[in-house]
Amino acid sequence: MNTLTRLHVACRLMFAVLPVVTLTPNPVQAVELMKWERIPLQVTLKVGQERVVFVDKNVRVGIAPALKDKLRVQSTGGAVYLKANEAFSQTRVQLQDVENGEIIMLDVTAGEKGSAEPVKLVYESGDSEADASPEQADAAKEEKKVSYSAPLPVLLTRYASQRLYAPLRTVEPVPGVRSLPLHLPSRITTLYPAEPLEIQPIAAWAVQSQNVVAFRVRNMTSRKIVLDPRSLQGKFVSATFQHRFLGLVGTPEDTTMLYLVMDSRPENALIPEAKVSRKERGKHHAD
């Protein structure tokens, strides 16, 4: 067989194989839609195969201790990735919205048979706004008025207290609540000058134009201190202590929390800390 003939045969073989490779369709994976209506959603997993739940919210995931080695959970960018390492019966998994505290419940089961297609959560008011034009969406938001069960200072104080003291599943959601960055000193000395207290800002949240800041308050003396909100210095809408008094320093009762609700930014509501010059700071260290 001469060179030209061999080349002709090779070309025929190449074009006979190529269509088989290039025309093979890629599998298209369907997405299962699940509507969240405050009823736990059933999610089945196949052991050893990962399944994605598109939440479209920034969430924290809470799982039962019994699932620690049985279920791998990863959460990022509004998606939760679930992979079962072994079979387990129906177990509750909680997804908490970081912004408003709302909890979405999944009843997860894993076995040899299960779906691998992604799950997308649909919310009661989510789709209509997503499909509307920008003008229609803005109008819908204007018309949508949020009603609260109590005055905002009460809701914010209760929310902050629950976030710091209560279990995750018991935190009552507050529509529109969001975390607030703190631009405050690590120690606040101007807030309660009547007593030698150590006061530290811990966290802050906001709803509409009102903010709540949680402070850790610690007694630095060897005597009991009765806390009086009237001794606080600054511009506040409301002030609430977690406990009415502080025990002696070194006892379990020497620390409590203070919740301040304000109309302005926290750094504008507090009296500024006195600035210490380098000369005074050096003198202090020398002493």
Side-chain angles (χ1 to χ4, degrees):
M1 183 182 295
N2 58 33
T3 304
L4 183 60
T5 304
R6 285 198 298 269
L7 180 60
H8 178 69
V9 173
C11 289
R12 290 181 60 188
L13 289 174
M14 181 179 67
F15 286 109
V17 174
L18 278 177
V20 178
V21 177
T22 57
L23 296 181
T24 301
N26 293 323
V28 178
Q29 200 169 26
V31 175
E32 181 179 357
L33 299 179
M34 292 188 180
K35 188 172 183 179
W36 169 244
E37 297 177 304
R38 301 186 183 277
I39 299 174
L41 302 173
Q42 309 293 319
V43 177
T44 59
L45 302 177
K46 185 176 182 180
V47 175
Q49 194 161 357
E50 189 172 64
R51 192 173 191 188
V52 186
V53 180
F54 294 107
V55 188
D56 291 336
K57 296 182 179 183
N58 186 14
V59 295
R60 280 194 296 266
V61 184
I63 64 172
L67 291 183
K68 183 179 179 181
D69 298 322
K70 298 180 180 179
L71 178 65
R72 189 191 72 183
V73 180
Q74 294 176 317
S75 175
T76 180
V80 178
Y81 300 83
L82 306 174
K83 183 178 181 181
N85 298 319
E86 59 182 273
F88 56 83
S89 57
Q90 181 173 294
T91 308
R92 181 69 48 85
V93 173
Q94 296 182 346
L95 311 177
Q96 185 185 39
D97 190 330
V98 173
E99 290 189 0
N100 61 21
E102 181 185 9
I103 292 180
I104 300 168
M105 292 173 287
L106 308 178
D107 282 342
V108 182
T109 308
E112 295 303 320
K113 296 182 179 179
S115 177
E117 65 184 12
V119 174
K120 180 176 175 59
L121 300 191
V122 178
Y123 304 95
E124 293 178 343
S125 59
D127 287 350
S128 58
E129 292 182 7
D131 296 336
S133 65
E135 294 77 11
Q136 291 173 327
D138 291 340
K141 288 179 181 177
E142 289 294 329
E143 293 175 0
K144 195 179 295 182
K145 295 182 179 179
V146 179
S147 59
Y148 295 99
S149 59
L152 279 181
V154 175
L155 291 176
L156 280 169
T157 300
R158 186 166 59 198
Y159 179 81
S161 178
Q162 290 178 343
R163 284 294 302 267
L164 295 174
Y165 279 92
L168 186 66
R169 65 181 182 277
T170 64
V171 176
E172 299 178 34
V174 177
V177 71
R178 63 189 185 279
S179 297
L180 196 68
L182 285 173
H183 301 288
L184 295 173
S186 59
R187 296 286 190 278
I188 307 294
T189 63
T190 60
L191 186 54
Y192 202 106
E195 296 287 357
L197 303 176
E198 181 184 74
I199 301 178
Q200 299 173 273
I202 300 301
W205 297 270
V207 170
Q208 296 181 0
S209 62
Q210 292 197 336
N211 312 311
V212 61
V213 182
F215 297 87
R216 180 181 290 117
V217 182
R218 184 168 181 259
N219 186 2
M220 303 302 292
T221 72
S222 56
R223 59 182 172 84
K224 175 182 174 181
I225 294 179
V226 178
L227 298 168
D228 186 352
R230 294 173 296 181
S231 296
L232 293 166
Q233 303 294 312
K235 298 178 182 179
F236 319 119
V237 176
S238 67
T240 307
F241 287 101
Q242 189 80 30
H243 304 94
R244 296 181 60 187
F245 69 90
L246 292 175
L248 283 63
V249 62
T251 64
E253 296 81 21
D254 72 356
T255 303
T256 190
M257 296 298 296
L258 166 64
Y259 309 103
L260 294 181
V261 178
M262 53 201 72
D263 283 326
S264 59
R265 298 280 302 181
E267 58 269 25
N268 298 328
L270 301 180
I271 298 175
E273 295 289 315
K275 293 184 179 180
V276 181
S277 65
R278 291 184 179 180
K279 183 178 180 180
E280 291 174 334
R281 193 181 299 118
K283 181 180 178 181
H284 174 75
H285 287 308
D287 295 339

